[in-house]
Amino acid sequence: MSGPRKIDIYALTWRLPIILWQLVFFIGPVLFMVAISFFVVKNYRMTEAFEFVNWQRMLTRGFFWDSYWYTLFIASLSATIAMLVAFPAAWALAFRASDNLRRWAVFLLIIPFFTSYLVRTFSWYVILAESGVLNAMLGYIGLGPFRMLNSHFGTIIGYLTLTLPLAVILQTVTMANVDKTLIEAARNLGCKPFATIWRIVLPLSKTGFIVAALFCFILAFGDFVAPFYLGGSQEPTLPILILDTTKSGQQWPRAAVVAIMMMVTLFTVAFTAIALAYRKPKGSKG
Amino acid sequence: MTTKPKTISKQLLRRDVLRIGGGAALSMPFVSRAWAQTTEINMLAWYGHGEPDMVGAFEEANNVKFVPKYYAGGDNMLALIAQSPPGTYDIILSDGEFVQQLNAADYIEPLDANDYPFDDMLHEDFTKFPGHWDGDTLFSMILRGGHLGVSYNTTAMSAEEASSYEGFWKPELQGKVGHFDWHLPSLGMMSLKNGNGAGLWDLSDDQWQAVQDTTMSLRSQVGGFFDYGGTFNGLKNGEMMAMCGIGDWITGVLERDGAPVASVIPKEGGIQFTESYCIGKGSSKADLVKSFIQYMMSPEGQVKSAQMVAYPGFCVTKAGRALLQEVDPAEAARSHQIEGMPNEPIALINEGRIHYRDIPQQQTLEDWNDFWSEYKNA
């Protein structure tokens, strides 16, 4: 029989800061946000109340669900594109590049984060405008001009600006840890290159790849800058809807409803992804 | 034995110098503040009104410093005030149509009409501007105005095409029509297109539905919804060839830079935005603010307002306009502020082609905003 568990003061001391941090800067604000979603706005002033009117108003409006599904779709598309575009670069860095080259490449991939994301986004104006660099180049071969700004394409480019370097770094780090002798063995046993990727590299990198995709999705799903400045705010994503809701009539409670719906979605996606990432293959032991 | 006292005296001297020097250095800001006592004036305004080109000369002459907080849209302004303690803002630049709400909520102080040049107004409407007065008590002083109509790139639209809101539906402009992302001016223009004229804000259910239908029919032409900066960019880099919801306040700035853009008041009529100064309730600097408003209503202030770097507006006083014509005839001509010119702002008002911007009378702002969100998602 074991006696009552003693409180480990030493362990608690080290755990306390992070617990306090989460309580003060995450749990507290989230609870406050949930509370204000039940408040009402009267004469542009938020008043304490417990009414479901904001939830009812937002969740029964077609424009909310249009924004919701559009945001879900375009963030998923962006994460998929980021993962696909990042893969060849990450593959080359993980398996072909020397250690020195890989270090430099990772450093260069980090450099964009030294600059403000807003500045990086605005720089696309020069490239994507109808009178911009890309259309001028396409013009030389008799193509275009194409409309790239203020479109879904512009939004995706903005999302990739944010997520692609991260996807390459995460994929590179993940694949760099794959045992290369397994790949060589597969090739020696006659496995084709694509089959090697599919049957050896991807299963062994599954966790890192899912985490990378999840990060790409989370960043795109909550991003305001790309859809607003490169997408022309059409159609509005959920972050734009939050801005519109607060801007007109100062409806912070309704904006809170949108924000909570975003958080619920992100939690659902994140938990599902993590469950998939760490799911054991059938038949494996422990 | 002789060296020790010498060393001590040296150390003491060094410490003294450091102490006195350090103390002097630390106290310098307080000394300079005591000499200069700059007074801060908190301003709530549309972008640009607290910038040096507008307030710099007054700041220098009166040893004050404006601390601006900028907003976009009257409801945004009301919300900012509602969430701030009384006395936060000393001066509020409000859109004309929102003064009534400021007054109703008791956010502004009454003004003495005798302090301002009401005998010099360019139009009689400006002397008793709707909503600025409560009975015989003045609550807001009209500063400037501007007209909203069809704004367009002159290489993509002819003046004749731009003379009607129908021009926005020109097939060649598909994906090239932009919106300033605020429901009020754009939906007001759609209401004018539907022939609602002076009743553009007072819509029955059927008229409101018709305005929504008209607006929705424009959606396929629309290439984006933009904030202040995005509107400039869109027109400047040619992404947008026509813009709904704006006027000379945007194209005027681009025109000054030589961009091929213009704004006209179409045959269905245009909308006037009016900007007015109010003194914030509970301001402890009401006298200084009054002096500033008087300065901005003087001919010199009116010229500064007409030349404002962020966006132009027309003068509301005769003396202001006369001085503008004298010191900056190019801007006076560009903005049609010369008597007898086509599209001269006061003549447009007299001809009944201009309607003052207002808020919806039979619907709520929320209804309009909800529709705007639906429209953006369509």
Side-chain angles (χ1 to χ4, degrees):
Chain A
M1 265 189 74
S2 59
R5 284 184 66 184
K6 283 184 180 174
I7 294 170
D8 185 344
I9 300 293
Y10 177 79
L12 189 66
T13 307
W14 285 106
R15 283 173 195 157
L16 203 58
I18 191 68
I19 293 170
L20 283 175
W21 178 275
Q22 289 293 323
L23 279 174
V24 173
F25 295 108
F26 181 68
I27 306 289
V30 166
L31 291 177
F32 181 66
M33 191 167 71
V34 171
I36 66 169
S37 73
F38 298 102
F39 289 7
V40 291
V41 174
K42 285 176 184 164
N43 293 326
Y44 301 92
R45 204 184 293 245
M46 206 157 57
T47 313
E48 286 173 28
F50 187 73
E51 293 184 19
F52 288 86
V53 62
N54 303 307
W55 285 90
Q56 190 185 9
R57 177 117 187 169
M58 291 310 289
L59 300 187
T60 55
R61 287 292 187 279
F63 64 79
F64 169 79
W65 291 108
D66 289 344
S67 286
Y68 183 85
W69 295 119
Y70 173 68
T71 311
L72 205 59
F73 165 72
I74 199 144
S76 306
L77 181 65
S78 155
T80 309
I81 293 172
M83 292 301 289
L84 291 175
V85 173
F87 186 76
W91 170 275
L93 287 173
F95 297 123
R96 296 277 181 266
S98 65
D99 287 350
N100 197 35
L101 179 63
R102 192 185 307 134
R103 274 194 293 272
W104 273 104
V106 170
F107 173 68
L108 291 172
L109 284 164
I110 291 170
I111 279 189
F113 293 104
F114 293 179
T115 318
S116 153
Y117 171 46
L118 196 61
V119 172
R120 280 183 282 151
T121 301
F122 270 113
S123 67
W124 279 108
Y125 272 56
V126 183
I127 298 162
L128 299 180
E130 282 202 19
S131 54
V133 178
L134 203 53
N135 268 316
M137 286 165 69
L138 290 169
Y140 280 118
I141 53 170
L143 295 173
F146 295 105
R147 189 175 155 218
M148 290 180 266
L149 279 180
N150 307 312
S151 63
H152 303 308
F153 177 77
T155 303
I156 292 283
I157 290 290
Y159 284 157
L160 291 179
T161 306
L162 184 66
T163 59
L164 192 55
L166 191 70
V168 176
I169 291 169
L170 289 174
Q171 285 190 11
T172 304
V173 171
T174 304
M175 284 196 286
N177 287 319
V178 171
D179 186 351
K180 290 177 183 60
T181 56
L182 292 175
I183 298 170
E184 283 164 14
R187 298 301 304 278
N188 289 340
L189 291 169
C191 197
K192 298 269 190 283
F194 279 106
T196 310
I197 293 171
W198 189 251
R199 300 178 67 176
I200 307 293
V201 178
L202 287 184
L204 289 173
S205 313
K206 187 183 75 173
T207 306
F209 271 57
I210 289 177
V211 169
L214 179 63
F215 266 109
C216 293
F217 176 81
I218 289 171
L219 288 174
F221 191 75
D223 182 39
F224 164 78
V225 173
F228 191 77
Y229 289 107
L230 298 179
S233 195
Q234 55 165 356
E235 294 108 29
T237 55
L238 291 176
I240 294 175
L241 188 61
I242 288 179
L243 178 81
D244 286 352
T245 312
T246 55
K247 202 169 64 177
S248 189
Q250 211 70 3
Q251 281 290 350
W252 289 100
R254 283 178 200 168
V257 171
V258 181
I260 292 166
M261 290 299 288
M262 287 181 75
M263 285 193 69
V264 169
T265 306
L266 285 176
F267 273 119
T268 308
V269 171
F271 283 125
T272 309
I274 297 296
L276 271 176
Y278 291 99
R279 193 176 62 176
K280 297 275 186 299
K282 276 180 187 172
S284 68
K285 291 178 183 176
Chain B
M1 290 298 284
T2 52
T3 54
K4 206 171 180 181
K6 197 177 174 184
T7 309
I8 289 169
S9 74
K10 262 189 182 173
Q11 281 175 341
L12 282 173
L13 185 64
R14 199 179 297 130
R15 282 179 192 159
D16 286 346
V17 169
L18 283 171
R19 194 174 63 226
I20 294 163
L26 287 172
S27 64
M28 279 306 283
F30 299 103
V31 173
S32 63
R33 273 178 219 166
W35 281 336
Q37 284 298 331
T38 302
T39 306
E40 284 191 347
I41 296 178
N42 292 302
M43 171 186 259
L44 183 62
W46 278 88
Y47 177 74
H49 282 271
E51 298 302 301
D53 61 297
M54 285 290 276
V55 301
F58 185 83
E59 282 181 334
E60 212 170 296
N62 294 277
N63 195 24
V64 296
K65 175 77 190 153
F66 280 82
V67 183
K69 166 85 181 166
Y70 294 129
Y71 65 81
D75 30 9
N76 184 209
M77 172 203 67
L78 281 167
L80 285 168
I81 299 174
Q83 290 160 12
S84 310
T88 301
Y89 299 108
D90 300 302
I91 180 165
I92 298 158
L93 178 104
S94 170
D95 291 322
E97 68 270 26
F98 285 92
V99 172
Q100 256 177 319
Q101 297 188 51
L102 284 172
N103 189 19
D106 201 24
Y107 291 144
I108 51 178
E109 297 279 1
L111 307 177
D112 185 347
N114 296 316
D115 291 331
Y116 307 104
F118 278 106
D119 54 349
D120 191 38
M121 289 287 141
L122 274 166
H123 196 279
E124 201 182 338
D125 283 359
F126 302 162
T127 60
K128 204 86 179 177
F129 200 76
H132 285 196
W133 297 75
D134 186 4
D136 287 331
T137 310
L138 177 69
F139 279 89
S140 190
M141 185 62 216
I142 184 170
L143 168 73
R144 68 208 294 254
H147 290 164
L148 313 175
V150 174
S151 297
Y152 65 105
N153 187 309
T154 53
T155 63
M157 263 178 118
S158 68
E160 195 189 336
E161 285 168 333
S163 68
S164 166
Y165 290 115
E166 282 288 346
F168 288 138
W169 278 261
K170 184 182 171 181
E172 291 79 8
L173 292 183
Q174 190 166 31
K176 295 284 184 184
V177 178
H179 274 290
F180 182 62
D181 196 2
W182 188 25
H183 56 83
L184 211 52
S186 282
L187 295 180
M189 286 180 185
M190 296 298 108
S191 182
L192 284 172
K193 185 194 175 287
N194 277 9
N196 292 319
L200 76 162
W201 310 109
D202 193 10
L203 304 176
S204 66
D205 287 349
D206 288 346
Q207 287 172 318
W208 170 228
Q209 187 55 53
V211 166
Q212 293 178 66
D213 294 343
T214 302
T215 311
M216 277 295 183
S217 71
L218 182 64
R219 188 62 183 85
S220 59
Q221 294 288 94
V222 174
F225 298 81
F226 304 97
D227 64 356
Y228 179 74
T231 305
F232 271 109
N233 272 333
L235 277 172
K236 194 169 186 175
N237 61 23
E239 289 290 318
M240 294 299 124
M241 291 297 184
M243 195 64 80
C244 183
I246 62 162
D248 186 63
W249 70 284
I250 295 265
T251 56
V253 180
L254 294 169
E255 254 186 303
R256 286 173 187 166
D257 288 346
V261 294
S263 291
V264 295
I265 301 305
K267 63 185 180 196
E268 297 95 338
I271 297 170
Q272 177 173 316
F273 73 82
T274 310
E275 295 179 336
S276 317
Y277 282 130
C278 310
I279 298 178
K281 193 82 178 178
S283 168
S284 56
K285 298 144 200 166
D287 285 341
L288 260 175
V289 174
K290 186 183 85 178
S291 302
F292 174 70
I293 299 174
Q294 286 173 327
Y295 163 74
M296 289 307 296
M297 295 311 298
S298 72
E300 188 193 341
Q302 285 285 290
V303 170
K304 282 197 181 300
S305 160
Q307 295 173 320
M308 191 168 112
V309 174
Y311 62 99
F314 61 72
C315 302
V316 292
T317 67
K318 291 172 191 163
R321 175 183 276 202
L323 187 63
L324 178 71
Q325 290 171 359
E326 191 186 319
V327 300
D328 193 353
E331 177 58 21
R334 192 206 60 74
S335 55
H336 314 286
Q337 293 188 75
I338 296 174
E339 293 73 10
M341 272 188 89
N343 290 317
E344 190 267 304
I346 304 303
L348 286 171
I349 298 172
N350 288 332
E351 288 162 16
R353 291 176 61 195
I354 292 296
H355 310 284
Y356 300 130
R357 199 173 60 203
D358 208 336
I359 52 177
Q361 302 297 301
Q362 297 189 44
Q363 297 80 36
T364 63
L365 274 170
E366 213 168 34
D367 294 332
W368 281 43
N369 190 50
D370 277 2
F371 170 68
W372 191 244
S373 292
E374 268 169 41
Y375 175 60
K376 285 169 76 173
N377 262 302

